[in-house]
Each structure stands twice: as C-alpha cells, then as structure tokens.
Amino acid sequence: MTEHLSSAVLDVRGLCVEFPGRHGTVQALSDVSLSIRPGEILGVVGESGAGKSMTGLAVQGLLEPPGRISGGEVWVGGRRIDQLDDKQMQQVRGRQIGAIFQDPLTSLNPLFTVGAQLVETIRLHLKLSKADAKARAIQLLKEVGIPAPEARYDHYPHQFSGGMRQRVVIALALAAEPKLIIADEPTTALDVSIQAQITSLLRRLCDDHGTAVMLVTHDMGVIAETADRVAVMYAGRLVEIGPVAEVLKNARHPYTRGLMGSIPALGRRVERLNQIDGSMPRLNAIPAGCAFNPRCPDAGPRCRKDRPEPAQVGTGVAACWLNAGGVL
Amino acid sequence: MSDALTVNDLTCNFDVSAPWLNRVIERKPRQFVRAVDDISFSVPMGGCLSLVGESGCGKSTVARLVTGLYRASEGEVRFAPGKSGEPLSAQMIFQDPYASLNPRWRVRNIIAEPLRELKLRNSEAEIMERVGELLKIVGLAPSDGAKFPHEFSGGQRQRISIARALAGEPEFLVCDEPTSALDVSVQAQILNLMRKLQDEMGLTYLFISHDMSVVRHMSDRIAVMYLGRIVEEADTETLFANPRHPYTQLLLETIPDITHPKRGRSIAASEVPSPLNPPSGCTFHPRCPFADARCKSERPEMRSFADGSRAACHRIEETVKAINAA
Ligand SMILES: Nc1ncnc2c1ncn2[C@@H]1O[C@H](COP(=O)(O)OP(=O)(O)OP(=O)(O)O)[C@@H](O)[C@H]1O
Ligand SMILES: Nc1ncnc2c1ncn2[C@@H]1O[C@H](COP(=O)(O)OP(=O)(O)O)[C@@H](O)[C@H]1O
Ligand code: SF4
Ligand code: SF4
Ligand SMILES: [Mg+2]
Ligand SMILES: [Mg+2]
C-alpha cells in the first residue's frame, strides 16, 4: 500500500485531514493511500460523509479552513504538492488538475458566455493568442460532444440543458490539458440517459489523452461501467481498493460486501434486499479498532481493539482482520 | 383484482407566464406548461404501480394530483371504497426527509399530528401509545419520540416520515422518490421496510423513482412517462424483458448495470427537450432512432397488446423487431 509508484499521475500516501473545532479535533480523513496511473479511472465510493469529496478537495488544496492536512503526502506528476503555497497551488489546479463538481451551475459564471469562460481559462494556463484560444475553445466544445460548437460558443450557461452544462464544465476542466481530473459526483444531478453520455465521454478522454481520473460517486453502477479500479471509503478511512471486476465479484471487506448486497439487482428480483443495519458513525464518535465493527457481521474481539491496517489481498488491498490473521 | 385507484384523462397545466406588467411591456403572451398531459392508469388493490421517467417529465405532479395537493385542469382521480366503505385515504411520502418534518417539533408530536387531526384516538394516553407502536413498526424505539428530527440520520428521518404517513391509517401510499436522498445501504433498509409494511398491512403503492433497479425491486407494474405523457405501461417483468417503446428501450439501455456492465459503449448525444416548447407529433421524435415523417406530425395513440401492455408509438412493429434482432 505504501509502495511509491513513480509512474503514477496521482500518488496519495497516508493522507490525514483534520478539522479543529470547539468540541475537539475531528479526524475527517485518516491514513488514506491511493494512486492513479495515466489513462486510468479510479472510482471512489462510500456513503455520504465517508470522506470521498474530502479526499478530492485535500488533493486540490481546497480544504475549507480550519480544515487542514495533518499528515501524509500528495504527489502529482512526480511532484509533491501538499506543501505548496496558495499561489503555487492555483497554478497546479487548472494546469495539472482539472475539477468537475456535482452541480455544473456552480462551476460556470452565469454572466459570461461559455466561450468567454473557456478562452479565459485557456489563456490563464496556455500561452495562446486570442484567436488560437477561441479555436481551441470551439475544438473543446466539439470534443465533449456539443453540437454546433461555433454557435454555442456565444451562448450563456442558462441556455444549455443540464447535460450540456456538465459537458461545458468538462471542457473547462480539460482546457489546460491537465494530467489529472477530479470528478466529484459529475453525473448525480443528471438523468440516467444523460449520465451514460457523460461517463462514456470521460472514458474516451482517458483512453485518448492518457488523462488520469478520480471519479467520486456513490453509484456503483457508474463505477462498474466506467472505472478501472475502485476505492471504497468508510468513516474517513479507505477500507478496500482493487480492480473493479474483482471488487464487484469478490469483495474482501465486509463493508464492501454489504454495500454490494444492498443494491437492488437489475437481473433478478429478490424478496428482501440485504441490508447493513445501523448507520455510519459520526466522525467524532468513531469506535476503537475497526471503524466498521459495530455493524460488521464478522466482527471479533480483536476488531474492537486494534485498527486493521490495509494489506494486500489477491489483486487488491483491504483493511480487515479477516484477511490479516483473524478477528480473534 | 379490483382497482384501488383509477385515473382517467388527467391533465395539469401550470401558468408560467411572466408577471402581468412584464407581459404588457414586453408584449409576451401568457405561457403554460402542460406538466401532465392526458394520462390514464389504474393501480390494483394491494399492488404497486411505479411511474418512471426523466427529471421534469411530470412524475411528482401526478403524485400531487392524486393526493389532492394540486388541482387537475382536466380528468378525474377516483379511489375505490376502502375497508370503511369510504374512498381509500391516501398519504404521501416525500423525497426529502429533511424538508418534510417540522424541525421544531418533537418526533412524537410529528407522528401524533394525523392521529389528533383525524381524531383516531380519544385520549392523550392512547395517542402516545399508538405513537410508540408506530415508532416500533418502522424500526425505531418509543423513546425516540422525545427527540427532534435533527438528532436523526437521513434514513431514520425517512422512517419517521413513514411512521407519520402510517399514523393516518392510510390504505394507499404515494411515495415520491422515497429513497433518492439516501445512500444505497440505507435505501435497502427503507425499501425492505416498505415491502414488509405492504405485506403486513395490505397497502397499495403508487411509487415514483428515476432509479430503474429500485423500481424493478418494488413494483408489479410500471408506467413510463415522457414529457407529461405515459408512453408505455406493462408488468414489471414484461417491461424489462420486452420493452416496446423506443424511449423505454433507451431508458433500459442506459441504466448502469453492476452485474453486466456495458463498458465501452458510446452513447449518442441527445437532450431532454423543454416542456415549455414540446416537439410536434410524437414528442420523443428528436431523440428517436426510428422516427420518420409521420412521427414529426402526428401524435401516436396508445395501443394495447395481448400481454396486457400498452404503448404509444407509430412504429412498434419495427422497434420490437429491432430489439429482438439485437
Ligand atoms: N408549481 C409549478 N409551477 C409551474 N411549473 C411546474 C410546477 N410544478 C411542476 N412544474 C413543471 O412541470 C413539469 C413536471 O414537473 P414534475 O415536478 O412533476 O417533474 P418530475 O417528473 O417529478 O421530475 P423530477 O424527477 O426532477 O422530480 C416540469 O417541467 C416542472 O418545471
Ligand atoms: N467544514 C467542516 N468541518 C467539520 N467537518 C467537516 C467539514 N466539512 C466536511 N466535514 C466532514 O467530513 C466528512 C467527509 O465529508 P465528505 O468528504 O464531504 O463526504 P462524502 O463522502 O459524502 O463526499 C463528513 O463527515 C463531513 O461532515
Ligand atoms: S476488521 Fe473486523 S469488524 Fe472490521 S470489517 Fe474486518 S471483520 Fe469486520
Ligand atoms: S412514434 Fe415515431 S418518434 Fe415516437 S417513439 Fe415511435 S417511432 Fe419514435
Ligand atoms: Mg460528496
Ligand atoms: Mg419529482
């Protein structure tokens, strides 16, 4: 888990994030390690509040104060970025990391045309003349599948539908040819038929340009159809990470298995869905040992005492005593 | 089986015109959205019919028309007589368990409100006893009644809304995206609870969701809506095995599937049209791979089939052939 992948676009090692507060310090992320190679899509799943968005924000240096990185390292393209100052980080964002958020409206300025926003972003990061920047903007709109991009260049965001706006946001994220794209629930606000267009677009960009993508979503179906590997988070910790097909078919962590079982299957109908009883603990009340132990059907005495370290199991990594010497 | 709910030719128009003065100054006409356009369906007693379709197609509007929160512009909503001989009483469960509970009330008073309102219990002691029972039915503890909504998680709040809906002793529940705001693991808890209540209390459901796997799990029958109209209705298994309408086919084609991921497919760009300015003829024609000249000018009538399904499309024979060939 701690191996340093020099070929990785993103390499996160032992990342910890904390929020100091009046009632003590909350540990929002605890010892998160993951990496993404060029052209690879890493899906990040988990319940809301598990720390998915937090991981993406910490990588981009966008934690809201007083939140701060309290441990670990973030490397992008072979360069350590977690200690850079605001100005340096601003250059990293946009130039090396593109961001796509859930609600396309928050990423677009309603007062400017889509073309103007694209040109501004392009010229901020690439040394291009106005005319060349415009040509590139139109090229980008075309690439993300906007019909009649020349005409659309002069339109305002409200003149686009939800799916088209999200494409524009993707075009903006691509403007400076970043090596890494962090997409946080990019399709959650969209209809399924549009959702499929956006995920197949992300997939194609990865394949064509070798971009690495961190795809944050709570939709396992989206992960199954788009990601190469998947990381499962629970209570601010990474509980399992591995190739998608492997994790879907053969999950190693009891939480992942519970999560899979609770999804209604399309193929067959069951009387009752599997459910994980209870709910995820609040971050200020994480139980000792394994954070999942109060809900875990396999928990043993050791789980209530010692925290399981992530360990290699088959082709993936899981943090569970079942795979590391037993629960007793 | 007799029908619990019959809806005939239901239409609902919303006035979305600019304010009067702006209309006069800018010489704009009044503008209407036909959110629900001449739809008919029925729900058998003890069954579950689901409405599915993309955002803005009119699902919630149908739910609100059925429960009387909106008035229909045309058409009728008829409930069959229930156990008491009076028309069935319907209760609604909403998508957002945060917004639908009064934050300043203790949970026991939230749940007791319908009991008091409808005078279903005589004394305060009986009311509180019933509240305790309802909390237990939905998997909470009677002592939770003393707490406020913010002290609960999303899934627990949805349990509270269900307890509140059950307090009115409804025989019919309209559920508008009851689990869309919840995580999958919590969603499973709520769906299991709803199925159990249906079996134990003989409830009838009108269920709304945009998630086809949830719909498949919950419903006996499914009606697919597109821009305010029902375009296809069929038994759940029939619809999944043999979708007739091209829009249903698109919907099924695009659901992400965990067990058989359709990786590497490429989806043609197409957009959901605006209900303010619906396309002519068959409103699906700009996105339909089968569309021809007739589709652009003539609205297709609903046709019934031998297996009990209905669909509104000029070219059903071709579409069914195409899907069988694929
Ligand atoms: N009170 C209202 N006034 C004006 N227009 C409305 C009103 N309520 C709904 N509409 C319009 O009617 C159409 C159908 O809306 P409805 O809320 O029924 O959609 P829906 O299918 O439930 O969508 P979603 O999946 O997003 O919840 C939409 O175009 C919506 O903008
Ligand atoms: N400003 C903040 N102060 C304290 N805790 C926060 C703050 N922002 C987020 N958190 C907590 O961090 C955890 C992870 O949040 P997030 O990454 O947004 O979850 P998700 O997995 O749903 O994306 C949550 O429990 C959340 O409550
Ligand atoms: S470590 Fe123990 S409690 Fe945690 S997931 Fe594994 S078996 Fe369950
Ligand atoms: S009527 Fe024509 S446009 Fe409409 S769904 Fe059928 S084939 Fe397609
Ligand atoms: Mg999030
Ligand atoms: Mg709705």
Side-chain angles (χ1 to χ4, degrees):
Chain A
M1 194 82 182
T2 48
E3 68 178 315
H4 174 34
L5 287 168
S6 53
S7 60
V9 176
L10 174 68
D11 195 8
V12 174
R13 301 185 215 160
L15 185 66
C16 299
V17 166
E18 60 180 31
F19 281 87
R22 266 186 302 153
H23 307 288
T25 295
V26 165
Q27 186 91 25
L29 289 183
S30 171
D31 197 16
V32 171
S33 298
L34 50 85
S35 61
I36 316 180
R37 285 180 283 267
E40 185 180 56
I41 300 185
L42 175 75
V44 180
V45 292
E47 305 185 23
S48 84
K52 308 183 294 294
S53 303
M54 197 62 66
T55 306
L57 292 173
V59 166
Q60 295 174 75
L62 288 176
L63 290 175
E64 232 174 274
R68 60 182 204 93
I69 294 182
S70 54
E73 300 172 5
V74 179
W75 294 71
V76 170
R79 175 179 178 212
R80 185 163 174 191
I81 62 164
D82 55 288
Q83 295 168 322
L84 300 183
D85 62 30
D86 284 354
K87 192 144 174 270
Q88 291 169 311
M89 251 343 257
Q90 215 157 14
Q91 277 166 351
V92 171
R93 285 194 297 271
R95 187 70 188 89
Q96 292 182 347
I97 310 177
I100 304 167
F101 295 104
Q102 174 166 356
D103 182 0
L105 275 183
T106 57
S107 320
L108 296 171
N109 188 329
L111 301 178
F112 294 96
T113 64
V114 158
Q117 297 184 50
L118 277 166
V119 163
E120 192 200 333
T121 310
I122 292 169
R123 296 195 68 198
L124 190 66
H125 297 292
L126 306 177
K127 287 193 185 65
L128 288 182
S129 70
K130 267 206 173 122
D132 287 347
K134 176 170 179 178
R136 172 151 175 81
I138 290 172
Q139 173 60 33
L140 280 167
L141 288 174
K142 195 164 153 204
E143 176 143 2
V144 297
I146 300 230
E150 289 87 2
R152 285 298 191 170
Y153 179 89
D154 292 316
H155 287 189
Y156 290 87
H158 74 263
Q159 292 170 292
F160 289 76
S161 74
M164 284 165 94
R165 270 185 222 132
Q166 196 58 295
R167 285 162 195 270
V168 172
V169 172
I170 295 178
L172 270 173
L174 291 174
E177 300 170 334
K179 301 187 194 83
L180 172 68
I181 289 184
I182 297 183
D184 192 348
E185 308 267 5
T187 60
T188 304
L190 305 174
D191 285 310
V192 271
S193 63
I194 311 292
Q195 206 176 64
Q197 296 171 17
I198 300 290
T199 51
S200 69
L201 169 64
L202 277 176
R203 184 72 256 175
R204 184 165 59 73
L205 294 170
C206 251
D207 296 343
D208 294 356
H209 300 285
T211 317
V213 176
M214 178 166 163
L215 176 64
V216 175
T217 173
H218 64 268
D219 189 334
M220 271 296 185
V222 169
I223 296 276
E225 301 204 332
T226 352
D228 300 300
R229 287 188 306 135
V230 57
V232 184
M233 298 193 66
Y234 186 80
R237 304 170 179 190
L238 204 74
V239 297
E240 178 158 8
I241 182 165
V244 167
E246 193 58 27
V247 173
L248 289 175
K249 267 207 290 295
N250 197 4
R252 308 289 185 158
H253 195 283
Y255 173 67
T256 318
R257 281 201 286 272
L259 202 60
M260 299 298 168
S262 54
I263 304 168
L266 279 168
R268 83 208 129 84
R269 210 171 143 177
V270 292
E271 264 318 296
R272 197 167 176 284
L273 299 168
N274 287 322
Q275 65 180 52
I276 316 175
D277 290 322
S279 53
M280 199 174 69
R282 290 176 190 226
L283 294 179
N284 55 12
I286 295 182
C290 173
F292 187 56
N293 85 65
R295 303 173 73 189
C296 180
D298 302 311
R302 188 185 210 168
C303 309
R304 288 181 274 275
K305 234 174 40 246
D306 304 322
R307 175 171 170 181
E309 291 299 321
Q312 191 79 30
V313 201
T315 48
V317 166
C320 169
W321 287 120
L322 289 176
N323 306 304
V327 297
L328 293 172
Chain B
M1 213 185 312
S2 65
D3 288 332
L5 168 69
T6 312
V7 166
N8 284 322
D9 310 323
L10 193 65
T11 293
C12 179
N13 300 315
F14 289 111
D15 187 344
V16 291
S17 316
W20 174 79
L21 193 62
N22 296 43
R23 284 208 310 276
V24 173
I25 296 170
E26 295 163 24
R27 294 167 186 278
K28 280 197 182 143
R30 291 191 81 98
Q31 201 171 19
F32 293 90
V33 175
R34 182 158 285 203
V36 171
D37 187 0
D38 195 23
I39 74 173
S40 303
F41 62 87
S42 56
V43 190
M45 201 72 89
C48 175
L49 172 81
S50 289
L51 300 177
V52 301
E54 284 162 321
S55 171
C57 71
K59 306 180 294 293
S60 300
T61 308
V62 172
R64 288 163 175 270
L65 288 165
V66 163
T67 44
L69 293 171
Y70 286 159
R71 275 179 64 106
S73 309
E74 282 163 55
E76 69 164 348
V77 170
R78 204 174 60 233
F79 282 101
K83 288 176 199 128
S84 65
E86 296 286 304
L88 287 174
S89 65
Q91 284 287 335
M92 186 143 162
I93 296 172
F94 295 92
Q95 169 166 359
D96 188 352
Y98 301 86
S100 56
L101 302 174
N102 187 333
R104 282 187 292 272
W105 285 18
R106 286 184 200 279
V107 163
R108 61 169 173 252
N109 290 325
I110 292 176
I111 298 174
E113 194 192 13
L115 297 172
R116 297 190 174 122
E117 196 84 2
L118 301 167
K119 303 208 174 19
L120 294 173
R121 290 291 184 281
N122 297 320
S123 69
E124 195 53 29
E126 280 175 17
I127 289 176
M128 283 307 136
E129 192 191 326
R130 179 65 183 152
V131 168
E133 278 170 25
L134 287 163
L135 281 166
K136 274 199 270 184
I137 289 173
V138 298
L140 296 172
S143 59
D144 286 327
K147 298 184 189 158
F148 289 95
H150 74 259
E151 298 175 63
F152 294 90
S153 71
Q156 290 170 327
R157 282 183 237 208
Q158 198 56 293
R159 288 172 191 266
I160 297 169
S161 351
I162 294 174
R164 189 192 129 90
L166 293 177
E169 292 174 16
E171 290 162 80
F172 196 103
L173 279 183
V174 178
C175 316
D176 189 0
E177 308 258 10
T179 60
S180 301
L182 307 174
D183 284 308
V184 276
S185 65
V186 183
Q187 166 173 288
Q189 297 174 358
I190 297 296
L191 294 180
N192 283 338
L193 172 66
M194 293 183 65
R195 281 277 286 267
K196 178 167 156 268
L197 294 175
Q198 182 176 30
D199 293 345
E200 290 174 4
M201 306 175 142
L203 297 172
T204 306
Y205 288 136
L206 177 62
F207 193 89
I208 292 172
S209 178
H210 66 270
D211 183 333
M212 291 299 273
S213 53
V214 168
V215 162
R216 169 144 210 204
H217 180 69
M218 289 298 292
S219 30
D220 308 311
R221 216 171 150 78
I222 297 174
V224 180
M225 290 185 68
Y226 190 76
L227 278 188
R229 296 176 68 82
I230 291 180
V231 295
E232 177 161 7
E233 191 201 320
D235 287 338
T236 303
E237 295 311 315
T238 312
L239 190 95
F240 274 84
N242 185 17
R244 287 193 165 88
H245 196 281
Y247 176 61
T248 313
Q249 295 173 0
L250 173 74
L251 262 190
L252 296 183
E253 167 63 24
T254 47
I255 322 169
D257 188 348
I258 297 175
T259 35
H260 304 97
K262 298 179 274 283
R263 297 179 70 100
R265 65 180 165 190
S266 98
I267 306 284
S270 64
E271 293 293 328
V272 185
S274 153
L276 271 175
N277 187 10
S280 61
C282 172
T283 52
F284 187 58
H285 84 251
R287 301 172 72 184
C288 182
F290 300 96
D292 61 11
R294 183 177 173 206
C295 302
K296 292 185 181 126
S297 59
E298 195 184 317
R299 174 189 263 191
E301 290 297 323
M302 190 61 102
R303 286 165 55 187
S304 298
F305 300 90
D307 60 5
S309 316
R310 326 183 267 154
C313 167
H314 293 307
R315 310 196 57 194
I316 289 284
E317 282 71 26
E318 289 91 326
T319 65
V320 172
K321 220 180 285 156
I323 201 128
N324 288 341

PDB file of all heavy atoms in Angstrom, chain A residues 97-115:
ATOM      1  N   ILE A  97      -4.356  19.766 -12.560  1.00  0.00           N
ATOM      2  CA  ILE A  97      -5.541  19.085 -12.061  1.00  0.00           C
ATOM      3  C   ILE A  97      -6.779  19.823 -12.558  1.00  0.00           C
ATOM      4  O   ILE A  97      -6.924  21.018 -12.324  1.00  0.00           O
ATOM      5  CB  ILE A  97      -5.585  19.068 -10.511  1.00  0.00           C
ATOM      6  CG1 ILE A  97      -4.263  18.564  -9.930  1.00  0.00           C
ATOM      7  CG2 ILE A  97      -6.743  18.223 -10.030  1.00  0.00           C
ATOM      8  CD1 ILE A  97      -4.220  18.598  -8.413  1.00  0.00           C
ATOM      9  N   GLY A  98      -7.657  19.124 -13.259  1.00  0.00           N
ATOM     10  CA  GLY A  98      -8.933  19.711 -13.664  1.00  0.00           C
ATOM     11  C   GLY A  98     -10.019  19.222 -12.720  1.00  0.00           C
ATOM     12  O   GLY A  98      -9.967  18.090 -12.253  1.00  0.00           O
ATOM     13  N   ALA A  99     -10.996  20.087 -12.426  1.00  0.00           N
ATOM     14  CA  ALA A  99     -12.031  19.692 -11.467  1.00  0.00           C
ATOM     15  C   ALA A  99     -13.414  19.742 -12.097  1.00  0.00           C
ATOM     16  O   ALA A  99     -13.727  20.642 -12.862  1.00  0.00           O
ATOM     17  CB  ALA A  99     -11.990  20.605 -10.249  1.00  0.00           C
ATOM     18  N   ILE A 100     -14.219  18.734 -11.793  1.00  0.00           N
ATOM     19  CA  ILE A 100     -15.618  18.710 -12.232  1.00  0.00           C
ATOM     20  C   ILE A 100     -16.464  18.441 -10.992  1.00  0.00           C
ATOM     21  O   ILE A 100     -16.259  17.435 -10.313  1.00  0.00           O
ATOM     22  CB  ILE A 100     -15.858  17.584 -13.258  1.00  0.00           C
ATOM     23  CG1 ILE A 100     -14.910  17.734 -14.449  1.00  0.00           C
ATOM     24  CG2 ILE A 100     -17.302  17.567 -13.722  1.00  0.00           C
ATOM     25  CD1 ILE A 100     -14.874  16.511 -15.347  1.00  0.00           C
ATOM     26  N   PHE A 101     -17.377  19.345 -10.686  1.00  0.00           N
ATOM     27  CA  PHE A 101     -18.192  19.155  -9.490  1.00  0.00           C
ATOM     28  C   PHE A 101     -19.597  18.715  -9.856  1.00  0.00           C
ATOM     29  O   PHE A 101     -19.993  18.731 -11.019  1.00  0.00           O
ATOM     30  CB  PHE A 101     -18.221  20.429  -8.649  1.00  0.00           C
ATOM     31  CG  PHE A 101     -16.879  20.793  -8.096  1.00  0.00           C
ATOM     32  CD1 PHE A 101     -16.140  21.829  -8.665  1.00  0.00           C
ATOM     33  CD2 PHE A 101     -16.330  20.074  -7.052  1.00  0.00           C
ATOM     34  CE1 PHE A 101     -14.884  22.150  -8.173  1.00  0.00           C
ATOM     35  CE2 PHE A 101     -15.072  20.394  -6.552  1.00  0.00           C
ATOM     36  CZ  PHE A 101     -14.350  21.427  -7.112  1.00  0.00           C
ATOM     37  N   GLN A 102     -20.355  18.349  -8.795  1.00  0.00           N
ATOM     38  CA  GLN A 102     -21.689  17.798  -8.996  1.00  0.00           C
ATOM     39  C   GLN A 102     -22.624  18.734  -9.744  1.00  0.00           C
ATOM     40  O   GLN A 102     -23.294  18.350 -10.679  1.00  0.00           O
ATOM     41  CB  GLN A 102     -22.293  17.439  -7.637  1.00  0.00           C
ATOM     42  CG  GLN A 102     -23.731  16.991  -7.724  1.00  0.00           C
ATOM     43  CD  GLN A 102     -24.173  16.329  -6.429  1.00  0.00           C
ATOM     44  OE1 GLN A 102     -23.387  16.153  -5.518  1.00  0.00           O
ATOM     45  NE2 GLN A 102     -25.423  15.941  -6.366  1.00  0.00           N
ATOM     46  N   ASP A 103     -22.653  19.980  -9.299  1.00  0.00           N
ATOM     47  CA  ASP A 103     -23.619  20.903  -9.872  1.00  0.00           C
ATOM     48  C   ASP A 103     -22.928  21.810 -10.887  1.00  0.00           C
ATOM     49  O   ASP A 103     -22.170  22.694 -10.519  1.00  0.00           O
ATOM     50  CB  ASP A 103     -24.248  21.744  -8.767  1.00  0.00           C
ATOM     51  CG  ASP A 103     -25.294  22.683  -9.332  1.00  0.00           C
ATOM     52  OD1 ASP A 103     -25.508  22.652 -10.566  1.00  0.00           O
ATOM     53  OD2 ASP A 103     -25.873  23.443  -8.554  1.00  0.00           O
ATOM     54  N   PRO A 104     -23.185  21.576 -12.178  1.00  0.00           N
ATOM     55  CA  PRO A 104     -22.467  22.334 -13.191  1.00  0.00           C
ATOM     56  C   PRO A 104     -22.672  23.844 -13.045  1.00  0.00           C
ATOM     57  O   PRO A 104     -21.819  24.632 -13.426  1.00  0.00           O
ATOM     58  CB  PRO A 104     -23.044  21.832 -14.512  1.00  0.00           C
ATOM     59  CG  PRO A 104     -24.261  21.051 -14.185  1.00  0.00           C
ATOM     60  CD  PRO A 104     -24.145  20.643 -12.753  1.00  0.00           C
ATOM     61  N   LEU A 105     -23.794  24.246 -12.445  1.00  0.00           N
ATOM     62  CA  LEU A 105     -24.053  25.683 -12.361  1.00  0.00           C
ATOM     63  C   LEU A 105     -23.060  26.392 -11.447  1.00  0.00           C
ATOM     64  O   LEU A 105     -22.736  27.552 -11.662  1.00  0.00           O
ATOM     65  CB  LEU A 105     -25.483  25.938 -11.885  1.00  0.00           C
ATOM     66  CG  LEU A 105     -26.516  25.919 -13.012  1.00  0.00           C
ATOM     67  CD1 LEU A 105     -27.888  26.249 -12.482  1.00  0.00           C
ATOM     68  CD2 LEU A 105     -26.125  26.887 -14.118  1.00  0.00           C
ATOM     69  N   THR A 106     -22.574  25.678 -10.414  1.00  0.00           N
ATOM     70  CA  THR A 106     -21.645  26.341  -9.511  1.00  0.00           C
ATOM     71  C   THR A 106     -20.280  26.557 -10.158  1.00  0.00           C
ATOM     72  O   THR A 106     -19.518  27.394  -9.719  1.00  0.00           O
ATOM     73  CB  THR A 106     -21.436  25.528  -8.213  1.00  0.00           C
ATOM     74  OG1 THR A 106     -20.968  24.233  -8.586  1.00  0.00           O
ATOM     75  CG2 THR A 106     -22.714  25.379  -7.417  1.00  0.00           C
ATOM     76  N   SER A 107     -19.973  25.799 -11.200  1.00  0.00           N
ATOM     77  CA  SER A 107     -18.667  25.964 -11.834  1.00  0.00           C
ATOM     78  C   SER A 107     -18.704  26.951 -12.992  1.00  0.00           C
ATOM     79  O   SER A 107     -17.678  27.272 -13.555  1.00  0.00           O
ATOM     80  CB  SER A 107     -18.148  24.628 -12.372  1.00  0.00           C
ATOM     81  OG  SER A 107     -18.437  23.595 -11.491  1.00  0.00           O
ATOM     82  N   LEU A 108     -19.896  27.390 -13.376  1.00  0.00           N
ATOM     83  CA  LEU A 108     -19.998  28.299 -14.512  1.00  0.00           C
ATOM     84  C   LEU A 108     -20.490  29.652 -14.035  1.00  0.00           C
ATOM     85  O   LEU A 108     -21.332  29.747 -13.150  1.00  0.00           O
ATOM     86  CB  LEU A 108     -20.967  27.740 -15.560  1.00  0.00           C
ATOM     87  CG  LEU A 108     -20.546  26.435 -16.226  1.00  0.00           C
ATOM     88  CD1 LEU A 108     -21.680  25.884 -17.076  1.00  0.00           C
ATOM     89  CD2 LEU A 108     -19.314  26.664 -17.080  1.00  0.00           C
ATOM     90  N   ASN A 109     -19.977  30.701 -14.638  1.00  0.00           N
ATOM     91  CA  ASN A 109     -20.429  32.037 -14.297  1.00  0.00           C
ATOM     92  C   ASN A 109     -21.605  32.406 -15.198  1.00  0.00           C
ATOM     93  O   ASN A 109     -21.467  32.439 -16.420  1.00  0.00           O
ATOM     94  CB  ASN A 109     -19.273  33.016 -14.504  1.00  0.00           C
ATOM     95  CG  ASN A 109     -19.611  34.399 -13.990  1.00  0.00           C
ATOM     96  OD1 ASN A 109     -20.776  34.797 -14.015  1.00  0.00           O
ATOM     97  ND2 ASN A 109     -18.612  35.111 -13.522  1.00  0.00           N
ATOM     98  N   PRO A 110     -22.778  32.685 -14.594  1.00  0.00           N
ATOM     99  CA  PRO A 110     -23.969  32.928 -15.409  1.00  0.00           C
ATOM    100  C   PRO A 110     -23.863  34.203 -16.249  1.00  0.00           C
ATOM    101  O   PRO A 110     -24.597  34.371 -17.220  1.00  0.00           O
ATOM    102  CB  PRO A 110     -25.087  33.058 -14.368  1.00  0.00           C
ATOM    103  CG  PRO A 110     -24.412  33.402 -13.091  1.00  0.00           C
ATOM    104  CD  PRO A 110     -23.060  32.773 -13.155  1.00  0.00           C
ATOM    105  N   LEU A 111     -22.925  35.095 -15.889  1.00  0.00           N
ATOM    106  CA  LEU A 111     -22.875  36.410 -16.549  1.00  0.00           C
ATOM    107  C   LEU A 111     -22.036  36.412 -17.818  1.00  0.00           C
ATOM    108  O   LEU A 111     -22.052  37.371 -18.572  1.00  0.00           O
ATOM    109  CB  LEU A 111     -22.322  37.456 -15.575  1.00  0.00           C
ATOM    110  CG  LEU A 111     -23.120  37.615 -14.287  1.00  0.00           C
ATOM    111  CD1 LEU A 111     -22.465  38.635 -13.375  1.00  0.00           C
ATOM    112  CD2 LEU A 111     -24.562  38.014 -14.600  1.00  0.00           C
ATOM    113  N   PHE A 112     -21.250  35.356 -18.031  1.00  0.00           N
ATOM    114  CA  PHE A 112     -20.385  35.328 -19.203  1.00  0.00           C
ATOM    115  C   PHE A 112     -20.761  34.197 -20.144  1.00  0.00           C
ATOM    116  O   PHE A 112     -21.265  33.165 -19.701  1.00  0.00           O
ATOM    117  CB  PHE A 112     -18.921  35.173 -18.777  1.00  0.00           C
ATOM    118  CG  PHE A 112     -18.406  36.364 -18.023  1.00  0.00           C
ATOM    119  CD1 PHE A 112     -18.404  36.368 -16.638  1.00  0.00           C
ATOM    120  CD2 PHE A 112     -17.968  37.491 -18.704  1.00  0.00           C
ATOM    121  CE1 PHE A 112     -17.951  37.478 -15.934  1.00  0.00           C
ATOM    122  CE2 PHE A 112     -17.508  38.605 -18.011  1.00  0.00           C
ATOM    123  CZ  PHE A 112     -17.503  38.601 -16.617  1.00  0.00           C
ATOM    124  N   THR A 113     -20.482  34.397 -21.421  1.00  0.00           N
ATOM    125  CA  THR A 113     -20.773  33.330 -22.370  1.00  0.00           C
ATOM    126  C   THR A 113     -19.822  32.171 -22.097  1.00  0.00           C
ATOM    127  O   THR A 113     -18.744  32.338 -21.513  1.00  0.00           O
ATOM    128  CB  THR A 113     -20.566  33.773 -23.831  1.00  0.00           C
ATOM    129  OG1 THR A 113     -19.188  34.085 -24.011  1.00  0.00           O
ATOM    130  CG2 THR A 113     -21.433  34.971 -24.175  1.00  0.00           C
ATOM    131  N   VAL A 114     -20.256  31.010 -22.529  1.00  0.00           N
ATOM    132  CA  VAL A 114     -19.458  29.808 -22.368  1.00  0.00           C
ATOM    133  C   VAL A 114     -18.102  29.978 -23.063  1.00  0.00           C
ATOM    134  O   VAL A 114     -17.055  29.607 -22.528  1.00  0.00           O
ATOM    135  CB  VAL A 114     -20.263  28.627 -22.938  1.00  0.00           C
ATOM    136  CG1 VAL A 114     -19.369  27.480 -23.310  1.00  0.00           C
ATOM    137  CG2 VAL A 114     -21.324  28.201 -21.943  1.00  0.00           C
ATOM    138  N   GLY A 115     -18.129  30.603 -24.246  1.00  0.00           N
ATOM    139  CA  GLY A 115     -16.892  30.818 -24.997  1.00  0.00           C
ATOM    140  C   GLY A 115     -15.917  31.693 -24.220  1.00  0.00           C
ATOM    141  O   GLY A 115     -14.731  31.384 -24.101  1.00  0.00           O
TER     142      GLY A 115
END
